[in-house]
């Protein structure tokens, strides 16, 4: 009562780590308050101890797998511990807002610092609809293809330009509000070093140009050598992979599957790729699922390749002609269709 004019004690939403309540600030601002569940850290710590014990008892069964289960669990544990620190989530939101300040169709809620702590986060309440609610698109006159394209563009800007991306883009965390895509829940984010970001740009260019040597150089430069590497064998496998995917239209390629094939090819040739890429692949799988739901004809590889090729000199986004114009338009509504047609011409 000292903090809020109104506070709804019935949860607006509920999940494993926290629940969310709607509230009104003393100045009349509508907010949501995300409150961590009591003793959730201790409960999750016990869960991890059990999982580590299971892995230790069954590790022989995983000797030939692509991913080391202990390393995977280590990554999940580290990610979960970050997710349990709401102060860190608040910092993630602020960083995301700064990096996307010039992308007019992207939004994230503002934070009320005064009422935010490691176990409570208070932020602007976003009134919108889930990005996969097709009926709402019809009601609002939105162009679903425009939304799908801009969602993909937003993701690739986050990965290839910023090296900082929202890593849990399921429909519950992506809302459409006032002509913008609003990202919420930043408990899980991905961060890429400058060298890894540059390598990913090179990798996509290598795929686009069907250049096995370029792709191999990237794999060797970012990976950890786990044994002898037969470059001729690696070349044959990468060349076959590129032929298999690129002999057909990009329309038929799922980028997440292509990346997974590359990961498996690297692993079978004694190259262990950075764990950061596991989170990126997981995010890409989720994102492709969302885009296929709202706009099935859009394939994000069709957007990734020209985006990265146009940006291969690592120029600023402002140099990205058509898509820069898209990134700075404020609305997805159908009355913008004429403008987009002219741009495509």
């Amino acid at each position: 009562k000292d903090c809020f004019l109104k506070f709804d004690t019935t949860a607006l939403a509920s999940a494993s780590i926290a629940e969310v309540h709607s509230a009104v600030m003393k100045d009349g601002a509508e907010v949501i308050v995300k409150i961590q569940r009591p003793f959730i850290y201790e409960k999750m710590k016990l869960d991890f101890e059990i999982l580590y014990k299971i892995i230790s008892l069954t590790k022989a069964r995983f000797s030939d797998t692509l991913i080391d289960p202990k390393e995977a669990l280590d990554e999940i544990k580290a990610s979960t511990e970050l997710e349990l620190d709401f102060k860190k989530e608040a910092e993630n939101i602020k960083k995301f807002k700064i990096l996307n300040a010039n992308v007019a169709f992207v939004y994230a809620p503002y934070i009320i610092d005064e009422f935010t702590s490691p176990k409570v986060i208070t932020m602007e309440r976003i009134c919108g609809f889930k990005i996969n609610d097709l009926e709402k698109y019809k009601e609002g006159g939105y162009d679903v293809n425009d939304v799908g394209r801009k969602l993909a563009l937003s993701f690739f800007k986050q990965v290839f330009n910023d090296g900082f991306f929202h890593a849990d883009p399921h429909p519950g965390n992506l809302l459409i509000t006032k002509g913008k895509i609003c990202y919420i829940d930043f408990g899980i984010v991905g961060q890429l070093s400058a060298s890894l970001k540059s390598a990913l740009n090179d990798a996509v260019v290598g795929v686009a140009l069907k250049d096995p040597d370029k792709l191999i150089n990237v794999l060797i430069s970012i990976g950890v050598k786990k044994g002898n590497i037969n470059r001729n064998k690696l070349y044959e496998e990468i060349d076959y992979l590129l032929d298999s995917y690129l002999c057909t239209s990009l329309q038929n390629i799922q980028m997440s599957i292509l990346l997974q094939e590359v990961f498996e090819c690297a692993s079978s040739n004694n190259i262990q790729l950075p764990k950061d890429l596991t989170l990126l692949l997981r995010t890409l799988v989720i994102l492709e699922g969302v885009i296929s739901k709202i706009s099935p004809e859009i394939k994000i590889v069709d957007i990734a390749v020209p985006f990265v090729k146009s940006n291969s000199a690592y120029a600023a986004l402002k140099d990205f002609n058509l898509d820069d114009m898209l990134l700075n338009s404020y609305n997805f509504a159908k009355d913008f269709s004429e403008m987009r047609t002219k741009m495509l011409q």
Side-chain angles (χ1 to χ4, degrees):
K1 291 180 180 178
D2 292 336
C3 302
F4 302 99
L5 185 66
K6 180 182 177 183
F7 191 97
D8 190 346
T9 55
T10 301
L12 186 67
S14 181
S16 57
I17 289 178
E19 62 183 37
V20 172
H21 295 259
S22 60
V24 179
M25 301 289 293
K26 288 290 183 73
D27 63 2
E30 293 187 3
V31 296
I32 62 164
V33 186
K34 182 176 173 182
I35 306 170
Q36 198 169 119
R37 295 188 178 282
F39 308 111
I40 189 64
Y41 178 82
E42 290 77 11
K43 291 176 182 177
M44 296 188 91
K45 183 180 178 183
L46 178 59
D47 287 345
F48 278 112
E49 288 173 357
I50 294 169
L51 288 169
Y52 278 116
K53 184 66 175 177
I54 292 172
I55 287 174
S56 70
L57 294 172
T58 59
K59 59 184 178 182
R61 296 174 180 267
F62 296 99
S63 57
D64 296 324
T65 57
L66 176 64
I67 296 172
D68 182 326
K70 184 181 179 301
E71 287 188 1
L73 190 56
D74 287 342
E75 186 176 345
I76 295 168
K77 184 173 182 287
S79 175
T80 302
E81 288 174 346
L82 288 175
E83 199 172 357
L84 287 166
D85 184 353
F86 290 174
K87 275 282 194 181
K88 184 63 179 176
E89 180 177 353
E91 291 172 11
N92 291 339
I93 295 175
K94 291 176 183 178
K95 182 174 181 178
F96 184 88
K97 285 180 74 69
I98 291 170
L99 289 171
N100 291 277
N102 294 325
V103 184
F105 66 81
V106 168
Y107 191 73
Y110 61 78
I111 301 297
I112 312 297
D113 289 313
E114 184 182 357
F115 301 130
T116 295
S117 72
K119 294 187 177 183
V120 176
I121 183 169
T122 304
M123 68 185 81
E124 173 189 6
R125 181 173 183 178
I126 303 298
C127 296
F129 61 89
K130 289 183 180 181
I131 199 164
N132 65 342
D133 190 337
L134 300 181
E135 287 302 315
K136 292 292 185 182
Y137 284 112
K138 294 177 183 177
E139 292 174 15
Y142 287 102
D143 183 336
V144 290
N145 291 324
D146 193 34
V147 176
R149 178 173 172 77
K150 285 178 176 174
L151 176 59
L153 278 172
S154 170
F155 176 70
F156 287 116
K157 175 192 176 292
Q158 292 171 44
V159 172
F160 295 116
N161 284 16
D162 303 338
F164 181 86
F165 59 94
H166 188 294
D168 198 17
H170 64 76
N173 288 340
L174 297 171
L175 303 178
I176 301 298
T177 179
K178 299 178 181 177
K180 298 184 181 186
I181 300 171
C182 181
Y183 290 77
I184 61 174
D185 194 343
F186 283 76
I188 304 175
V189 297
Q191 300 196 58
L192 305 174
S193 65
S195 59
L196 186 53
K197 184 176 66 174
S198 174
L200 284 172
N201 275 267
D202 283 342
V204 176
V205 170
V207 170
L209 299 179
K210 196 189 169 189
D211 185 343
D213 281 317
K214 191 174 188 67
L215 195 52
I216 289 168
N217 289 337
V218 170
L219 294 176
I220 292 174
S221 69
I222 66 175
V224 176
K225 186 178 177 182
K226 290 291 186 177
N228 292 326
I229 298 174
N230 184 330
R231 192 177 175 102
N232 289 335
K233 176 175 175 288
L234 183 57
Y235 182 95
E236 288 176 3
E237 291 183 10
I238 292 291
D239 190 45
Y240 176 78
L241 185 62
L242 292 178
D243 273 341
S244 299
Y245 276 97
L246 300 184
C247 65
T248 185
S249 167
L250 289 177
Q251 292 280 339
N252 299 317
I253 300 174
Q254 280 187 276
M255 195 165 183
S256 58
I257 294 176
L258 174 58
L259 276 179
Q260 188 169 344
E261 294 268 14
V262 171
F263 283 16
E264 291 173 356
C265 185
S267 178
S268 67
N269 284 277
N270 299 319
I271 300 172
Q272 181 179 315
L273 297 177
K275 290 188 294 183
D276 299 355
L277 295 183
T278 305
L279 181 60
L280 177 61
L281 179 59
R282 171 189 175 275
T283 305
L284 195 53
V285 169
I286 296 171
L287 191 82
E288 281 189 328
V290 173
I291 292 176
S292 67
K293 171 71 174 177
I294 63 175
S295 187
E297 65 273 25
I298 291 179
K299 300 295 182 185
I300 61 177
V301 71
D302 291 337
I303 298 170
V305 169
F307 183 97
V308 172
K309 285 176 72 175
S310 70
N311 217 28
S312 60
Y314 315 119
L317 192 64
K318 61 182 175 61
D319 297 326
F320 189 45
N321 52 63
L322 167 62
D323 288 327
D324 177 48
M325 295 174 72
L326 283 171
L327 286 168
N328 287 285
S329 64
Y330 275 91
N331 207 307
F332 314 120
K334 288 183 177 178
D335 59 359
F336 276 68
S337 60
E338 182 180 352
M339 179 190 75
R340 285 197 303 276
T341 301
K342 290 179 180 176
M343 288 163 59
L344 290 171
Q345 289 173 346

